[in-house]
């Protein structure tokens, strides 16, 4: 589109790609073009009896490593020629991509799901990460985070953590705001403070800090989601039906 019209729709830098000022003005039209292209692509895929095509899935990092491999494995066994593209981001980005038609299917936690079609996948649990030097007990109350510097992702506040803090009347002493879970791990290891993260983010990580159970039960339910109208598209419907089977 940029070459065809001779205008800059996106700005590209070390942080990634984002819409230019002009791109933001014509965003609805850009999304309409992309959506139309996807519809045409899906018609071609259907005509070819799903022997070609792309399925685009939006996911967050812990779900990508924990849940997606098995979901995709089942689908690819039946449709080996379909290319599966995984687009990773945070919950709010995945929801926006789904609304804009950029992805076909998403993985989201309950607090970010509205009127989407959904399949329950997994219940995760929140753990407290603490430097070893703090010497906290094996199980503590979530109110403990008020007593120490709190390390949080740049995506905070979000509906999930805000709901937790409101429910248990917690006022965290937020000291550090970082971009990735890996950075949170490093900050905790260096004794800069404590953090709350889902247990699934710790899989396959050799951490040098204490992982502490909370007295309060704080589940994080993860779902496969899509828009109802997307299930009219045979390729998306096929992925959906395969993963409805337990």
């Amino acid at each position: 589109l940029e070459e065809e019209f001779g205008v800059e729709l996106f700005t590209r830098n070390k942080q990634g790609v984002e819409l230019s000022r002009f791109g933001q003005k014509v965003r609805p039209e850009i999304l309409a073009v992309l959506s139309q292209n996807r519809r045409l692509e899906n018609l071609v895929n259907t005509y070819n009896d799903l022997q070609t095509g792309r399925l685009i899935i939006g996911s967050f990092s812990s779900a990508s490593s924990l849940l997606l491999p098995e979901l995709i494995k089942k689908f690819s066994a039946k449709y080996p020629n379909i290319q599966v593209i995984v687009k990773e981001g945070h919950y709010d980005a995945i929801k926006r991509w789904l609304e804009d038609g950029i992805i076909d299917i998403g993985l989201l936690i309950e607090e970010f799901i509205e009127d989407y079609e959904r399949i329950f996948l997994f219940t995760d649990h929140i753990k407290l990460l603490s430097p070893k030097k703090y010497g906290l007990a094996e199980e503590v109350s979530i109110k403990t985070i008020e007593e120490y510097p709190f390390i949080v992702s740049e995506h905070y506040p979000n509906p999930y953590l805000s709901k937790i803090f409101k429910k248990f009347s917690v006022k965290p002493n937020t000291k550090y705001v970082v971009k990735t879970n890996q950075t949170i791990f490093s900050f905790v290891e260096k004794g800069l403070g404590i953090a709350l993260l889902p247990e699934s983010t710790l899989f396959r990580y050799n951490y040098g800090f204490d992982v502490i159970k909370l007295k309060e039960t704080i589940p994080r339910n993860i779902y496969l989601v899509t828009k109802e109208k997307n299930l009219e598209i045979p390729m998306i419907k096929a992925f959906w039906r395969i993963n409805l089977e337990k």
Side-chain angles (χ1 to χ4, degrees):
L1 286 176
E2 288 180 319
E3 291 182 6
E4 184 176 351
F5 294 109
V7 295
E8 184 181 74
L9 298 175
F10 303 93
T11 57
R12 299 163 177 84
N13 51 46
K14 292 180 179 179
Q15 285 69 47
V17 180
E18 58 185 19
L19 286 172
S20 66
R21 183 175 298 179
F22 178 72
Q24 291 173 353
K25 289 184 178 180
V26 296
R27 182 174 181 271
E29 287 76 12
I30 292 173
L31 291 175
V33 170
L34 293 175
S35 180
Q36 183 63 37
N37 285 344
R38 281 296 284 156
R39 281 197 292 269
L40 179 59
E41 184 179 342
N42 282 320
L43 284 173
V44 173
N45 297 339
T46 302
Y47 179 79
N48 290 330
D49 197 25
L50 301 185
Q51 294 304 307
T52 61
R54 303 179 299 153
L55 180 71
I56 306 176
I57 302 174
S59 181
F60 49 97
S61 59
S62 59
S64 295
S65 59
L66 179 67
L67 301 171
L68 267 186
E70 187 61 30
L71 300 178
I72 292 172
K73 180 181 178 181
K74 289 191 290 184
F75 177 74
S76 294
K78 190 166 184 179
Y79 301 99
N81 297 322
I82 298 294
Q83 181 186 33
V84 178
I85 298 172
V86 177
K87 185 176 175 64
E88 292 190 324
H90 203 260
Y91 313 128
D92 50 0
I94 296 166
K95 182 177 178 181
R96 185 172 66 251
W97 296 336
L98 193 58
E99 285 298 316
D100 291 343
I102 294 172
I103 61 174
D104 303 312
I105 288 173
L107 276 75
L108 279 175
I109 62 172
E110 197 164 12
E111 285 72 17
F112 284 80
I113 301 173
E114 294 181 354
D115 56 349
Y116 301 139
E117 298 297 305
R118 66 181 74 181
I119 298 174
F120 172 76
L121 296 177
F122 180 74
T123 295
D124 208 346
H125 292 90
I126 298 299
K127 300 292 184 181
L128 187 147
L129 281 49
S130 174
K132 290 184 178 296
K133 69 178 185 180
Y134 288 175
L136 296 182
E138 293 183 359
E139 183 176 89
V140 300
S141 168
I142 192 173
K143 296 284 284 185
T144 302
I145 70 173
E146 296 180 340
E147 302 171 20
Y148 300 92
F150 188 55
I151 307 163
V152 71
S153 159
E154 66 178 355
H155 300 288
Y156 173 78
N158 64 55
Y160 180 64
L161 276 183
S162 297
K163 177 181 175 182
I164 292 171
F165 293 155
K166 182 177 180 180
K167 179 178 180 179
F168 298 107
S169 301
V170 174
K171 295 181 179 179
N173 174 23
T174 303
K175 182 73 177 293
Y176 304 104
V177 180
V178 302
K179 187 174 181 64
T180 67
N181 289 341
Q182 191 69 41
T183 304
I184 291 177
F185 296 158
S186 296
F187 274 43
V188 176
E189 284 181 335
K190 294 298 183 182
L192 293 175
I194 63 177
L196 292 176
L197 280 178
E199 189 173 20
S200 63
T201 63
L202 302 170
F203 292 165
R204 300 190 182 96
Y205 183 77
N206 296 319
Y207 42 81
F209 47 78
D210 292 329
V211 178
I212 297 171
K213 182 180 179 181
L214 294 172
K215 292 180 179 179
E216 299 82 2
T217 300
I218 305 176
R220 184 179 75 149
N221 295 319
I222 302 173
Y223 293 83
L224 195 66
V225 300
T226 194
K227 298 170 81 170
E228 183 179 7
K229 68 177 183 180
N230 286 351
L231 294 177
E232 298 172 4
I233 299 170
M235 181 168 54
I236 299 174
K237 186 177 182 179
F239 185 88
W240 198 260
R241 282 184 169 177
I242 287 171
N243 286 293
L244 268 175
E245 302 169 2
K246 299 297 183 181

